[in-house]
Amino acid sequence: MKSTIVLLGPPGSGKGTQGEKLCSEFGYVKLSTGDMLREAVKNQTELGKKAKEYMDAGALVPNDLIIGLMKEKIKEANGKVILDGFPRTIEQADALSGQLEVDLALNLDVADEELVKRITMRRSCPDCGAVYHLLWNAPKADGVCDKCGAKLYQRDDDTEATVLNRLKTYREKTLPLVEYYGKKGKLVTVEGVGSIDEIYEKVKKIVQ
Ligand code: AMP
């Protein structure tokens, strides 16, 4: 069983969803920089105030805000971890490699047109972080989280205009990590199309 997994793939490729499923079944701790930043924005912390403008523009938050924070969280987790949304640049990957060995970089591959459809129809729970899709994975009651009953919302950066910037940022800054982990012999790419459960079956085989 792999103990340190990096989830790679563009926004909307299913990193959060597949990561959650691995956590429930195998007891990983999932560390999502996006979730941490959204929490900071919600609580209006210093980090949140600085990060918001970058997130709303679909750009990456500067490394000095994110690398130290993530290193701290990894230290606290001290066990089987899934990193969702980190590293997102070669510099972040180099910083990570100084702290722990990555066993697997799991790359979810999904075409751009599909990503835009998925992201703009995504609805998220502000309290427990559950994620839904209005067509393919709708909540049982309209606009209400199945898991905790909170009112669902659309992330500020899940609008069509921002999504296109996020995809551009992904291609420029994060895609080089596919080659980076490929050269280290850690990369496995999964086609992230089909139902959530179909994709998860493929993911599980790779992780085990
Ligand atoms: P996500 O939920 O992973 O799609 O992240 C949402 C937004 O948070 C991204 O568009 C970035 O603005 C920011 N973000 C998340 N992770 C990172 C990271 N590792 N480095 C820089 N910015 C990040």
Side-chain angles (χ1 to χ4, degrees), residues 3-22:
S3 72
T4 303
I5 302 175
V6 164
L7 295 176
L8 288 179
S13 58
K15 301 187 292 297
T17 305
Q18 296 297 327
E20 272 310 321
K21 289 179 85 69
L22 287 172

Side-chain angles (χ1 to χ4, degrees), residues 11 15 32-35 37-38 54-55 58-63 66 84-88 92 122 155 157 166:
K15 301 187 292 297
S32 156
T33 38
D35 286 350
L37 291 168
R38 278 184 289 282
Y54 297 97
M55 295 170 77
L60 292 184
V61 168
N63 281 334
I66 208 91
D84 167 10
F86 186 94
R88 247 178 163 99
Q92 291 180 6
R122 176 155 74 180
R155 279 169 45 177
D157 60 348
R166 287 166 66 196

Side-chain angles (χ1 to χ4, degrees), residues 123-135:
R123 296 294 180 270
S124 308
C125 175
D127 290 349
C128 74
V131 177
Y132 301 87
H133 185 282
L134 293 182
L135 292 180

Side-chain angles (χ1 to χ4, degrees), residues 130-167:
V131 177
Y132 301 87
H133 185 282
L134 293 182
L135 292 180
W136 304 313
N137 176 31
K140 292 192 183 80
D142 210 13
V144 179
C145 179
D146 291 350
K147 291 189 182 152
C148 74
K151 189 168 176 288
L152 300 177
Y153 81 118
Q154 182 176 34
R155 279 169 45 177
D156 289 345
D157 60 348
D158 275 352
T159 57
E160 190 155 351
T162 310
V163 166
L164 296 176
N165 277 337
R166 287 166 66 196
L167 290 175

Side-chain angles (χ1 to χ4, degrees), residues 92-111:
Q92 291 180 6
D94 283 340
L96 177 66
S97 74
Q99 186 178 14
L100 93 177
E101 174 96 19
V102 170
D103 297 314
L104 169 70
L106 185 67
N107 179 35
L108 293 167
D109 189 25
V110 181

